[in-house]
Amino acid sequence: VKYLVQADGSLPNLALMRLARYYRERGETVRYVRGEGQRQLWDPPGEVLGSSLFKSSARIRESIEREWGPVRWGGTGVDVASTLREIDPGVDWDAVAPDYSDHPAEDRSIGFTQRGCRLRCEFCVVPEKEGRARTVSSLADIWRGGSAPRKLLLLDNDFFGQPREAWRARLAEARAGGFRISLLQGINVRIIDEEAARELAMVEYRDKEFHERVVYTAWDDLRDEGRFRRGVETLAAGGVPPKHLRVYMLVGFQEGETWEAIMHRFRVITGLGCEAFPMPYGDRPDLRAFARWAIRGMWRNVPWDKYRDRRKRASRRGGEEMARCA
Ligand code: SF4
C-alpha cells in the first residue's frame, strides 16, 4: 500500500493527486490521508509519502511521523528543491493527469498553465523552485473533461510571464471553451500591460470558489506603490475594475515595518476600490488580528486602533503581546 499524506494546504494537493494516478496505473493500492489522526489499527503496513507546503507545519509533520513511522516527505515546506522527479526522473510529471477520485467533493480542475516567475521577491521560493517563467499546459490539458464543470483553478505564479503567444492562446481557449478561470496565486500587477489587461477583461475570471468576479494580485513592498497604482489603472482601462481586484498584502516580513506603513498600503488598496487581503508573515497575533479585521470587512465599521484596543481589553495577556508587537 502507498499512503499519500497531505499535511497542510486547503486545496487538494496536486503532487499527491499525480502520485495517486502514477501508482494506481502501476497496480498499487493507494490510500489518501488528510492530516494527522487518520491511522486506523487495521491499516496494513506500506510506504508513506507525504507532502507539506509550509515550513510552519513542522508540528503536524512530526505528529504524522509519530503516527505512521518514517515518511518520505516532499513539498516546499520541507525542501524548496523537492520535485516529483525524485520519485521517478523518467516521467514528465506536469503531463500526468491528477487523480481526483480521493476528492469526491471537488469539482474544479486544478493545474498550472505555466511555471516560474519573472520577478525575484526576497521572501518567495518560486524563482528558486521553478526558475524562469515557462508554459507547461493548455487549459484543455488541465480540464478533467467529460461532464466536469468548466471551472479551472490555475496555480500559476506568473500567468502573463509565459510568452505572449502562449497566454494569448490560453485566454482565447478560455473564451472559446467556455472555461471560467481562477488565478488564485495572483497576477503580477506591477508588470501588466494594456493588451494583457484587455484580454483578461474578456474572460470569466473568478474567485477560488467560483462565486465572484475576482482577479487576485499582490502589493507586498511599500516601495512598489507607483507601480501598483499604475497596474490598477492599466487593468481598469482594459476593463478589469478595481472592485474585482483582491490584493494580497504581505505584512510582517520587512524588518522594522511600522503600523503606519502597513496602514498606508491598506488605505491605498481600499481607497482605490480594491479588496485588501493581508497575509501575515510568521505568527504575530497582532498581524493575525489585522488580517481578520481586514478580510472579514470589519474595517468598514470599526477603525483598526479601536478594534485593536478592544482586543487588548478582552485579553490582558493578549494585550501585552499586542503592545510589544505594535
Ligand atoms: S511575483 Fe509572486 S511568484 Fe514572483 S517572485 Fe514575487 S511573490 Fe514570487
Side-chain angles (χ1 to χ4, degrees):
V1 181
K2 300 286 184 191
Y3 294 99
L4 304 182
V5 186
Q6 178 170 348
D8 51 25
S10 55
L11 297 175
N13 183 294
L14 197 53
L16 293 183
M17 288 197 289
R18 288 191 162 127
L19 277 179
R21 164 91 54 195
Y22 173 85
Y23 284 127
R24 284 185 176 127
E25 281 179 353
R26 282 156 182 77
E28 300 261 12
T29 301
V30 170
R31 189 175 146 217
Y32 168 77
V33 178
R34 182 67 202 265
E36 53 194 328
Q38 302 298 318
R39 184 158 198 185
Q40 311 291 340
L41 274 177
W42 50 86
D43 280 332
E47 188 183 7
V48 186
L49 298 99
S51 177
S52 176
L53 304 179
F54 309 115
K55 276 196 183 130
S56 54
S57 303
R59 189 204 58 76
I60 295 174
R61 289 194 297 270
E62 281 162 22
S63 163
I64 288 169
E65 282 170 5
R66 276 196 299 279
E67 201 179 337
W68 292 92
V71 177
R72 188 171 175 189
W73 287 109
T76 43
V78 285
D79 178 6
V80 169
S82 81
T83 74
L84 288 176
R85 290 175 59 79
E86 292 158 18
I87 305 287
D88 187 339
V91 169
D92 175 3
W93 288 97
D94 276 321
V96 175
D99 180 343
Y100 291 90
S101 61
D102 299 301
H103 307 276
E106 179 60 65
D107 68 351
R108 301 165 292 187
S109 297
I110 304 172
F112 292 85
T113 74
Q114 61 83 228
R115 295 283 194 155
C117 182
R118 289 165 293 178
L119 300 183
R120 291 266 178 286
C121 303
E122 49 186 321
F123 56 85
C124 179
V125 298
V126 170
E128 186 186 342
K129 186 173 172 63
E130 298 186 3
R132 294 169 54 130
R134 66 188 192 284
T135 301
V136 292
S137 303
S138 67
L139 300 189
D141 292 334
I142 294 168
W143 183 48
R144 299 184 218 182
S147 58
R150 290 175 177 254
K151 300 198 283 193
L152 305 184
L153 190 58
L154 303 181
L155 305 178
D156 305 27
N157 285 295
D158 190 11
F159 179 82
F160 290 105
Q162 55 190 319
R164 189 166 292 265
E165 59 277 14
W167 63 249
R168 271 190 197 136
R170 296 295 81 80
L171 295 179
E173 220 188 330
R175 290 196 297 273
F179 291 113
R180 285 171 286 162
I181 61 170
S182 179
L183 285 157
L184 178 64
Q185 302 294 86
I187 59 161
N188 271 321
V189 72
R190 286 172 283 174
I191 39 180
I192 195 86
D193 66 29
E194 281 141 26
E195 189 200 353
R198 273 198 315 275
E199 293 280 322
L200 181 62
M202 289 193 286
V203 301
E204 295 288 335
Y205 52 76
R206 290 287 187 278
D207 66 335
K208 69 181 164 70
E209 284 84 23
F210 288 81
H211 294 151
E212 298 173 60
R213 299 275 282 159
V214 169
V215 171
Y216 297 91
T217 188
W219 176 21
D220 297 315
D221 187 332
L222 186 64
R223 293 168 294 186
D224 287 329
E225 179 169 348
R227 284 192 281 177
F228 173 73
R229 285 179 180 274
R230 276 195 298 282
V232 173
E233 269 170 33
T234 304
L235 284 167
V240 180
K243 67 178 178 186
H244 288 176
L245 298 183
R246 186 168 296 169
V247 183
Y248 299 126
M249 52 179 292
L250 182 70
V251 290
F253 177 75
Q254 297 282 351
E255 211 164 308
E257 184 180 45
T258 62
W259 273 106
E260 200 185 342
I262 292 174
M263 292 310 294
H264 176 74
R265 255 190 306 154
F266 179 80
R267 285 193 204 100
V268 170
I269 291 169
T270 51
L272 288 169
C274 313
E275 189 183 342
F277 197 98
M279 309 275 281
Y281 182 84
D283 205 25
R284 278 174 48 182
D286 57 340
L287 294 179
R288 283 192 277 122
F290 173 67
R292 275 197 301 280
W293 172 79
I295 292 166
R296 293 183 188 169
M298 289 183 270
W299 64 274
R300 294 180 193 280
N301 304 314
V302 190
W304 164 240
D305 48 359
K306 285 219 170 61
Y307 179 76
R308 183 172 58 175
D309 292 347
R310 261 189 226 165
R311 285 188 67 252
K312 274 186 196 173
R313 282 197 296 275
S315 159
R316 197 167 69 86
R317 188 163 170 270
E320 282 165 9
E321 279 169 14
M322 181 77 69
R324 275 205 306 279
C325 296

